Amino acid sequence: TLSNSLSMAPLNNIDKCTMRRVAVLVLGDVGRSPRMQYHALSLARSPEVAHVTLIGYAGSRCVPEVEALIDSGRISLRLLREDLLPRPRSKVAYLAYAPAKALLKLGQLLFALLLLLPRVDVLLLQTPPAIPTLAAAWLARAASGCMVVVDWHNLGFSVLEHGGLGASHPYVLAAR
């Protein structure tokens, strides 16, 4: 199971309040991320995990098994606001939009991870998007000491590169 891959030692004879709290972060529509939902489901069913919080955007419904554990309180769903800035139509305006959006999302993630949620022991995140998700995870780890586990789908720079910016664009080079 996923809990075994997180190197969690058995917590025999330990009070429930000391059991691990896990946040599963997907910076996208939670309902359209079955892989992350099944990670949350596996973790919520683990005896070493006290609670799972699934964080992401609203949209599609979660799979029935996850919805049942949300209803029972074993999994919490924390929805983030997706539309922080309207997307510009011109490529020139995008040069200002992209870093502004990344900084706003970084602030949103840090606010959720460090202030809205109870302290977590493990943060499991999906990438892409690597920007700003990895920066938020690194800062959350520095501030709280949580373990960070990354579910890599591909590298963040490749999404930017193939999304129309090209290999020599400054944002692609910085992300690389």
Side-chain angles (χ1 to χ4, degrees):
T1 66
L2 179 63
S3 61
N4 292 337
S5 69
L6 295 179
S7 301
M8 293 183 180
L11 299 176
N12 299 335
N13 302 322
I14 295 180
D15 197 49
K16 185 173 179 160
C17 66
T18 63
M19 293 174 70
R20 289 177 170 83
R21 298 182 64 83
V22 179
V24 177
L25 172 63
V26 52
L27 201 57
D29 179 348
V30 173
R32 296 190 69 177
S33 300
R35 177 184 183 113
M36 298 308 283
Q37 289 182 65
Y38 285 117
H39 285 330
L41 186 63
S42 175
L43 289 161
R45 290 177 174 164
S46 169
E48 291 94 10
V49 175
H51 187 77
V52 175
T53 303
L54 186 55
I55 307 165
Y57 300 140
S60 304
R61 292 183 64 147
C62 290
V63 297
E65 297 93 337
V66 171
E67 287 190 352
L69 289 182
I70 290 170
D71 292 341
S72 75
R74 188 88 172 109
I75 295 177
S76 297
L77 184 60
R78 173 65 74 174
L79 297 175
L80 302 173
R81 189 171 159 202
E82 185 175 6
D83 58 343
L84 297 177
L85 283 176
R87 186 178 178 102
R89 295 174 193 223
S90 75
K91 287 189 176 185
V92 173
Y94 187 83
L95 294 175
Y97 166 82
K101 178 182 175 185
L103 288 173
L104 283 171
K105 293 220 179 264
L106 176 63
Q108 179 188 44
L109 291 173
L110 290 174
F111 183 77
L113 293 171
L114 299 175
L115 299 174
L116 290 180
L117 298 180
R119 186 185 176 285
V120 297
D121 302 297
V122 178
L123 172 60
L124 171 61
L125 61 99
Q126 176 181 323
T127 181
I131 302 168
T133 314
L134 291 177
W138 184 83
L139 291 168
R141 183 183 185 285
S144 71
C146 67
M147 179 190 327
V148 175
V149 179
V150 178
D151 181 346
W152 294 94
H153 284 248
N154 62 36
L155 302 175
F157 74 87
S158 64
V159 174
L160 292 172
E161 182 178 337
H162 299 294
L165 295 182
S168 62
H169 193 279
Y171 291 162
V172 175
L173 295 174
R176 191 181 290 257

